[in-house]
Amino acid sequence: MDALDKLLSQIKAESENEQTQQQIPKQNIFQSLSPPEPKSLSLIDNLLSEVQADFAAQDTELELKKQQELEQERLRQEQIKAKQKEALKQQAKDWLEKLDPFSPEGLWFERFAESYPSKLEAAIEYLQTN
C-alpha cells in the first residue's frame, strides 16, 4: 500500500504542478491585456497637452489677427468720415460765400444759424440734411 500511496502522491503532485504551469500563461495573458504602464500614459498625456496647446495658440493667433483687421477697418472708416466731413466743410464754405444774406434764403438761413455756434456749422448741418 505504501507504494500505491506514494504513486498516488506523485501523480497528484505532478497534476498540481501542471495546473500551476497552466495558470502562469493565463496570468501573462491578463498582464498583457492590462492598461499600459504609467510612462506610456504620461507620454500620451504630454502629446495631447502639446496638441491642445498648439490649437490654443492657433486660436489666440487667429483672434488677434481678427482684432487687428477690425481695428484697421475702424481706422479706415474714420479716415473716410474725416475726408467726407472735410469735403462737406469746404462745400459749406463755398455755399456761404455764394449766399446772398438779403435774399429770402439768406434771411431764412440767418434765423436757422442762430441755434448753432457758427454759421459754418449751421451750413454743414443744412447741407447734410438737403
Side-chain angles (χ1 to χ4, degrees):
M1 262 322 235
D2 280 336
L4 196 56
D5 285 336
K6 226 180 197 181
L7 189 59
L8 279 173
S9 294
Q10 195 177 20
I11 292 173
K12 189 175 180 182
E14 285 178 11
S15 172
E16 287 175 359
N17 195 14
E18 284 179 13
Q19 285 178 350
T20 305
Q21 287 178 355
Q22 287 177 351
Q23 287 179 351
I24 291 172
K26 287 181 183 176
Q27 289 174 349
N28 288 342
I29 289 172
F30 289 126
Q31 286 175 352
S32 67
L33 293 177
S34 65
E37 293 180 9
K39 284 186 180 179
S40 64
L41 279 178
S42 74
L43 290 175
I44 291 172
D45 288 341
N46 288 341
L47 184 60
L48 287 175
S49 295
E50 287 178 22
V51 170
Q52 286 176 334
D54 287 346
F55 277 117
Q58 287 176 352
D59 288 346
T60 303
E61 186 178 325
L62 286 173
E63 185 64 30
L64 180 63
K65 187 176 180 181
K66 187 177 179 181
Q67 288 177 353
Q68 288 174 343
E69 288 172 355
L70 288 173
E71 181 64 18
Q72 287 175 351
E73 179 62 22
R74 186 187 64 78
L75 290 174
R76 191 177 71 77
Q77 291 295 329
E78 282 181 11
Q79 289 174 346
I80 289 171
K81 284 183 181 180
K83 285 181 183 179
Q84 288 174 341
K85 188 173 183 177
E86 190 59 37
L88 191 58
K89 188 176 182 180
Q90 186 59 46
Q91 185 182 0
K93 284 181 184 179
D94 294 343
W95 183 80
L96 282 172
E97 288 176 8
K98 294 176 186 174
L99 181 65
D100 179 8
F102 299 108
S103 70
E105 186 179 28
L107 293 172
W108 173 86
F109 181 74
E110 283 295 322
R111 293 211 55 203
F112 175 76
E114 288 174 358
S115 61
Y116 289 88
S118 72
K119 287 185 179 184
L120 181 61
E121 288 183 35
I124 291 171
E125 180 70 26
Y126 175 68
L127 292 175
Q128 278 181 332
T129 56
N130 290 335

